[in-house]
Amino acid sequence: PCVNSGLPMDTVSTLCEELMDDVRRHGARGRLGIVLEKFLESALPEDAHVRCTGKTFVAVSSMEKTSSRGLSAFAGFGAPQGQLISEFKDRDDLISALMTSCHIPLYMDGRLTNTFRGSMHLDGGVTNFIPLPPDDGTPGVRVSCFGAKQMSLVYDIGIAPDVFEEWPHGLPQMVQ
């Protein structure tokens, strides 16, 4: 969304370095969501939602209500349903979609789920781990924080820590 909203790459890189510096100094657990949301609010232009509509695709996992009852944290909800969002009604809606798409349960801000457009959602990776835009002829590149070589049996990943240089961390270590 940063590039689609017109931010120059050097600005995006500088802002990412500032975000990473904050997380290194003050930690991520329980506050990464707050820091990331502030980052997006300060970085994205006011018309980002207009510029990103139809160009930025954000995966979220909706929790549909059902009539089932039980004792689990998700009692009364069916299986998560994947959605690929590419239309945003305003800048806040775009930021909310992005925050929902990367919401790591409990880790981001202490909450299990995120509210998006008035309903409970999970991270987009639950139903669409590394999404691509719909197949309309537009090229897409999968981006992963995990090593491309480790994920190569499942996905063709174009950008990952080990694409351009050796990466010493295995998948179990990265997940931990």
Side-chain angles (χ1 to χ4, degrees), residues 43-57:
L44 294 176
E46 288 301 316
D47 66 344
H49 62 290
V50 174
R51 294 177 183 211
C52 289
T53 290
K55 298 177 192 165
T56 299
F57 296 85

Side-chain angles (χ1 to χ4, degrees), residues 11-30:
T11 300
V12 173
S13 293
T14 299
L15 291 170
C16 285
E17 288 171 8
E18 290 172 10
L19 175 99
M20 289 183 288
D21 180 60
D22 179 289
V23 171
R24 282 187 196 110
R25 285 186 291 115
H26 304 291
R29 186 175 305 242

Side-chain angles (χ1 to χ4, degrees), residues 154-169:
V154 182
Y155 296 106
D156 178 22
I157 298 171
I159 300 173
D162 63 346
V163 170
F164 303 107
E165 58 187 46
E166 284 298 314
W167 186 248
H169 310 289

Side-chain angles (χ1 to χ4, degrees), residues 113-155:
T113 63
N114 202 34
T115 301
F116 175 63
R117 296 182 177 171
S119 63
M120 185 169 44
H121 283 72
L122 298 169
D123 180 333
V126 171
T127 54
N128 193 352
F129 185 61
I130 306 176
L132 281 177
D135 190 14
D136 64 355
T138 304
V141 176
R142 284 194 164 100
V143 179
S144 174
C145 63
F146 300 108
K149 293 176 182 126
Q150 299 163 11
M151 304 293 290
S152 65
L153 293 176
V154 182
Y155 296 106

Side-chain angles (χ1 to χ4, degrees), residues 64-102:
E64 298 290 327
K65 288 192 175 197
T66 67
S67 60
S68 68
R69 298 180 189 265
L71 298 176
S72 77
F74 296 113
F77 293 91
Q81 300 296 311
Q83 298 174 324
L84 201 54
I85 310 294
S86 65
E87 293 185 21
F88 312 98
K89 60 184 175 190
D90 56 32
R91 184 173 172 268
D92 289 339
D93 187 52
L94 170 62
I95 291 172
S96 181
L98 295 168
M99 294 303 298
T100 300
S101 177
C102 67

